[in-house]
Amino acid sequence: MAGNEAEFGDILAVLGQQLGEKVAQAADPGGRRRLKGVHFEYAADPRSVHDMAGGAGYSLASNWFTQLLAQLAVANSITKSQLCVFLFVAGGQVPGTGIAQYTQQEITDGLNKVAAQKGGKMITRSTVNRAVQALCGYNWVEKAGNGRIQINVRLWFHGNSTAQHDVLAEIAERHERSPEAFPYAVGPEDAHQEELDLDFGVDERIRGRKRTG
């Protein structure tokens, strides 16, 4: 053992010795019997963290929303740029806040990282701007000022349940606790969902056009 593990082992040794003495005394008040050893079994530590690739940790996402994203993409009911901007921003939340601290230029540069390396097609800042506006309209995100974007933490959250409830309480306070306001105006049982499933607000004038953004 090393470091804390060694100290932990010393503590166990002392406890084992004391436990042995107590058991022996209980079995024979004269103290003639001695317990030879104490056997400890260790269970898996429930506090162990997940084994996730990369150094950014992991987030919790609504399973319903994750499937909805896939359904909307297949149905061509959300643009590629909107999907990419949301995923990039949601994955960049400051833990425990639901806030992504990105300017639109930083989002643009972040999304273009691989494309720039491979000489591929890149997204423009104006396209990112339109995507952010659309995502705000869907109530997936909300502008929080000073280059900050508030993620709808009922859909995607980096943090534990206590932190999420604290964030929800703060958002509710800002919106005067309206059940129709962000972040509650989206969900499988909400009246707004019917509109999302049908066309997600896609402009009829561009339905027949091939999307490039």
Side-chain angles (χ1 to χ4, degrees), residues 25-170:
Q25 291 173 4
D28 184 350
R32 290 186 298 274
R33 291 183 177 180
R34 289 285 183 254
L35 189 67
K36 290 185 177 181
V38 177
H39 176 68
F40 291 92
E41 293 186 2
Y42 299 89
D45 186 352
R47 298 169 296 176
S48 297
V49 297
H50 294 71
D51 183 1
M52 309 298 287
Y58 64 96
S59 300
L60 301 177
S62 156
N63 288 332
W64 164 80
F65 181 67
T66 303
Q67 290 189 321
L68 177 64
L69 283 178
Q71 292 165 345
L72 292 172
V74 169
N76 201 32
S77 293
I78 183 174
T79 67
K80 177 183 175 181
S81 58
Q82 291 166 9
L83 179 60
C84 292
V85 168
F86 176 78
L87 292 175
F88 184 82
V89 171
Q93 297 178 51
V94 176
T97 68
I99 294 286
Q101 295 181 323
Y102 292 123
T103 64
Q104 291 186 8
Q105 186 60 55
E106 288 172 334
I107 296 173
T108 304
D109 293 341
L111 287 173
N112 284 330
K113 183 177 180 180
V114 174
Q117 294 171 349
K118 296 181 175 295
K121 181 180 178 182
M122 301 171 71
I123 195 170
T124 65
R125 180 172 175 174
S126 60
T127 299
V128 168
N129 177 57
R130 290 194 298 272
V132 171
Q133 296 293 340
L135 294 173
C136 288
Y138 304 156
N139 282 310
W140 292 5
V141 304
E142 181 180 58
K143 292 182 180 179
N146 299 320
R148 303 189 310 160
I149 299 175
Q150 173 72 65
I151 311 297
N152 185 329
V153 297
R154 296 179 67 244
L155 304 179
W156 210 294
F157 185 64
H158 186 177
N160 60 34
S161 58
T162 299
Q164 189 216 28
H165 286 296
D166 289 343
V167 173
L168 284 171
E170 292 173 3

Side-chain angles (χ1 to χ4, degrees), residues 168-187:
L168 284 171
E170 292 173 3
I171 296 174
E173 186 70 23
R174 292 201 304 267
H175 290 278
E176 299 180 348
R177 307 190 181 280
S178 170
E180 301 300 323
F182 178 90
Y184 294 100
V186 58

